[in-house]
Amino acid sequence: MNGHEYDLATAVRPTGDHTYAADLHDGWDIGGVPNGGYLLTVAGRALAQSVERPDPLTVTCHYLAPARSGPIELTTELVRAGRRHATAMATVRQDGNEVARVIGTFGDLQQQRDGRHLATLKPPEIPPPDECVHVTPIPDHPQSPPPITEKVSLRIAPEDLGFALGTPHGRAEIKGWAEFADGRDADTSALPLFADAFPPTVFNAGFPIGWMPTIELTVHVRKRPARGLLLCEFRTNLVSNGYMEVDGVIFDATGEVAAMSRQLAATPRGQT
Amino acid sequence: MNGHEYDLATAVRPTGDHTYAADLHDGWDIGGVPNGGYLLTVAGRALAQSVERPDPLTVTCHYLAPARSGPIELTTELVRAGRRHATAMATVRQDGNEVARVIGTFGDLQQQRDGRHLATLKPPEIPPPDECVHVTPIPDHPQSPPPITEKVSLRIAPEDLGFALGTPHGRAEIKGWAEFADGRDADTSALPLFADAFPPTVFNAGFPIGWMPTIELTVHVRKRPARGLLLCEFRTNLVSNGYMEVDGVIFDATGEVAAMSRQLAATPRGQT
């Protein structure tokens, strides 16, 4: 841990054999509700500590109730520890109510070396960061970008900013560069945060701007990201029956895939 | 439940407040190890019963150790029951050892009606079922398709059968039609099985044929499938550092997406 905001905001302190205390910090929220990716990274920190493995290979969070800033309690359960992998589960409680349940399998991505390689996904071709639009909160503006954009710096591809200007392009996608605003390097623990930090894809498909509660988010972490900006691409392929999925790919500065994510969310209320 | 093989092979019987007994049947295996999708459907049945909701909206299974045919014990935990959704977890034990941990959120896809619709994925253009290759076990043949192909009938697109003929096309994908061999209709409970029933994508990228242990499989069930054959498409976009992902889309007979799946697996041993 050091003095960077992310480390402070995701710090967990052991309070017993399998219990941890943490604080969900102000400023990592969207409309007052701590970002789902942020919540997952806090739980991921407790899980990684509990299993003593550095990298979350695949983590899944089911969101049970909206959290708020303030103290949370985490209880971890070691499901299985093997030579290469360890699987563990965490409950996240606030005011005695469970707000999230997380399961993950952890390992060491630095030790996993295998000659086989196949990569079909290419980084999206968007303008360089300084030609993208830096999204930051606008004081007292009703449609201000959420506070979390002060922590996670987003530079959105101009073509995907139509939703904010009333001219969505009609495709449920959004792309851009991301990094910690205070200069901290992204590591594997933080990738689930970046996987949930962009504005919803469907705003660009003309959906009304509003809260879309995530039901479940799964992130596969595939490499320790190289230093530098992350290039992120999110797309929704299916909205139906009141649900939608969001698929994300996070490339690191070398152009390799650092993480893939998928979430299931409920479409906004009032559209039934 | 009725007399169809799938119903018999996934039957769970309550043995206590939150415990169920089941039998993993012979014939649903690959190389003696019950198929991961099959194991997930059995756990899904226990979970759906325990939460009294018909449809698995999103289910995730972490595979902890290879199972075998024979009795298993399931313990369920209700994580949260709300108006629209219920989330529950299951442990799956065999001979006292936990072989899988499952978490899922369940609901009712028939009741979820929402005016918003967006669908970018189109069914792959492959020949009709009778022009695809019906894969069935070959008695006493060392490279016979696995026993599960007697339960789940697969008709693989000819272009994707190269792996079996020594002429893989080089793309990590496989497409085909699927249905229960005994004529049972696929329902939402069964979709996780179909999501894991095809030969590995990477065989068509020239990877050696061998067992690829699934670490985690997540399936989003998006609609109750219409009667008829399912059209399935699986693709691997990234193999690196000893891991690979498999992305699946299952279309029903109307051409709509019934389920999306993603799994993380370890690449075969001996390639380090």
Side-chain angles (χ1 to χ4, degrees):
Chain A
M1 199 172 81
N2 56 35
H4 285 118
E5 290 204 72
Y6 168 75
D7 300 286
L8 298 170
T10 60
V12 296
R13 50 181 196 283
T15 53
D17 267 358
H18 303 285
T19 56
Y20 297 82
D23 278 287
L24 298 178
H25 283 213
D26 278 327
W28 298 78
D29 61 288
I30 295 170
V33 177
N35 172 268
Y38 166 48
L39 189 61
L40 176 50
T41 57
V42 179
R45 290 236 143 161
L47 288 168
Q49 274 195 29
S50 74
V51 300
E52 299 179 334
R53 314 278 171 133
D55 301 309
L57 303 178
T58 167
V59 287
T60 291
C61 185
H62 285 249
Y63 296 92
L64 308 170
R68 55 168 181 76
S69 300
I72 56 173
E73 295 153 28
L74 301 106
T75 305
T76 60
E77 177 199 348
L78 178 63
V79 175
R80 179 180 178 271
R83 186 185 55 80
R84 187 174 171 189
H85 302 136
T87 302
M89 204 191 62
T91 62
V92 184
R93 287 196 177 80
Q94 190 167 53
D95 304 326
N97 298 317
E98 188 169 353
V99 295
R101 178 71 63 108
V102 180
I103 183 166
T105 293
F106 293 73
D108 186 337
L109 281 168
Q110 201 151 40
Q111 290 189 355
Q112 311 296 345
R113 289 294 162 206
D114 184 296
R116 294 278 161 178
H117 192 78
L118 180 152
T120 67
L121 301 173
K122 304 293 172 214
E125 294 183 4
I126 67 169
D130 58 1
E131 294 173 26
C132 287
V133 180
H134 192 185
V135 172
T136 49
I138 311 166
D140 301 322
H141 192 286
Q143 296 193 331
S144 168
I148 193 175
T149 56
E150 280 189 308
K151 313 294 187 185
V152 178
S153 173
L154 304 180
R155 289 177 172 78
I156 295 178
E159 70 176 55
D160 292 336
L161 211 74
F163 76 90
L165 309 168
T167 55
H169 50 46
R171 301 185 309 279
E173 63 181 56
I174 191 159
K175 306 177 290 292
W177 305 89
E179 64 183 335
F180 280 116
D182 66 0
R184 184 194 191 278
D185 289 326
D187 58 14
T188 56
S189 85
L191 292 173
L193 168 65
F194 289 96
D196 194 39
F198 277 70
T201 53
V202 294
F203 291 175
N204 270 329
F207 278 48
I209 293 179
W211 190 48
M212 267 158 268
T214 302
I215 297 168
E216 171 259 325
L217 168 62
T218 294
V219 181
H220 290 184
V221 174
R222 303 300 300 274
K223 74 168 287 200
R224 297 189 179 174
R227 275 203 136 159
L229 285 160
L230 301 170
L231 178 46
C232 308
E233 179 170 32
F234 298 93
R235 179 170 290 112
T236 292
N237 290 302
L238 183 62
V239 181
S240 67
N241 291 326
Y243 299 100
M244 63 181 203
E245 122 282 2
V246 182
D247 279 14
V249 186
I250 300 178
F251 299 87
D252 73 1
T254 71
E256 293 186 330
V257 173
M260 301 173 71
S261 67
R262 177 173 287 165
Q263 68 169 264
L264 185 72
T267 52
R269 291 165 194 275
Q271 296 176 3
T272 307
Chain B
M1 199 171 83
N2 57 35
H4 284 119
E5 292 203 72
Y6 168 74
D7 299 286
L8 298 168
T10 59
V12 297
R13 51 181 195 283
T15 53
D17 267 357
H18 303 286
T19 56
Y20 297 82
D23 277 288
L24 298 179
H25 283 213
D26 279 326
W28 298 79
D29 61 288
I30 296 170
V33 176
N35 171 268
Y38 166 48
L39 189 61
L40 177 49
T41 58
V42 179
R45 290 237 142 161
L47 288 168
Q49 275 194 28
S50 74
V51 300
E52 299 179 333
R53 314 278 171 133
D55 301 309
L57 303 178
T58 168
V59 287
T60 290
C61 184
H62 285 250
Y63 297 92
L64 308 170
R68 54 167 183 76
S69 300
I72 56 172
E73 296 152 28
L74 301 107
T75 305
T76 60
E77 177 199 348
L78 178 63
V79 175
R80 181 181 177 270
R83 187 185 55 79
R84 188 175 171 188
H85 302 135
T87 302
M89 205 191 62
T91 61
V92 184
R93 287 197 177 80
Q94 191 168 52
D95 303 328
N97 299 316
E98 188 168 355
V99 294
R101 178 71 62 108
V102 180
I103 184 167
T105 293
F106 293 74
D108 186 337
L109 282 168
Q110 201 151 41
Q111 289 189 354
Q112 310 297 346
R113 289 295 162 205
D114 185 295
R116 294 278 161 178
H117 192 79
L118 180 153
T120 67
L121 301 173
K122 304 294 173 213
E125 294 183 4
I126 67 169
D130 58 1
E131 294 173 27
C132 288
V133 180
H134 192 185
V135 171
T136 51
I138 310 166
D140 300 321
H141 192 287
Q143 295 194 331
S144 167
I148 194 175
T149 56
E150 280 190 307
K151 313 294 188 187
V152 177
S153 173
L154 303 181
R155 289 177 173 78
I156 294 177
E159 70 176 57
D160 291 336
L161 212 74
F163 75 90
L165 308 169
T167 56
H169 51 46
R171 301 186 307 279
E173 62 182 54
I174 191 159
K175 306 176 290 294
W177 306 89
E179 64 184 334
F180 281 117
D182 66 1
R184 185 193 190 278
D185 289 326
D187 58 15
T188 57
S189 84
L191 291 173
L193 168 63
F194 289 96
D196 194 39
F198 276 70
T201 52
V202 293
F203 290 175
N204 270 329
F207 279 48
I209 292 181
W211 189 49
M212 268 158 266
T214 302
I215 296 168
E216 171 259 325
L217 168 62
T218 294
V219 181
H220 289 184
V221 174
R222 304 299 301 273
K223 73 169 286 199
R224 296 188 178 174
R227 275 203 135 160
L229 285 160
L230 301 170
L231 179 45
C232 308
E233 180 170 31
F234 299 92
R235 178 170 292 114
T236 292
N237 290 302
L238 183 63
V239 181
S240 68
N241 291 325
Y243 299 100
M244 63 181 202
E245 120 285 2
V246 182
D247 279 14
V249 187
I250 300 178
F251 298 88
D252 73 2
T254 70
E256 293 186 332
V257 173
M260 300 174 72
S261 67
R262 176 173 288 164
Q263 68 169 265
L264 186 72
T267 52
R269 291 164 193 275
Q271 297 177 3
T272 306

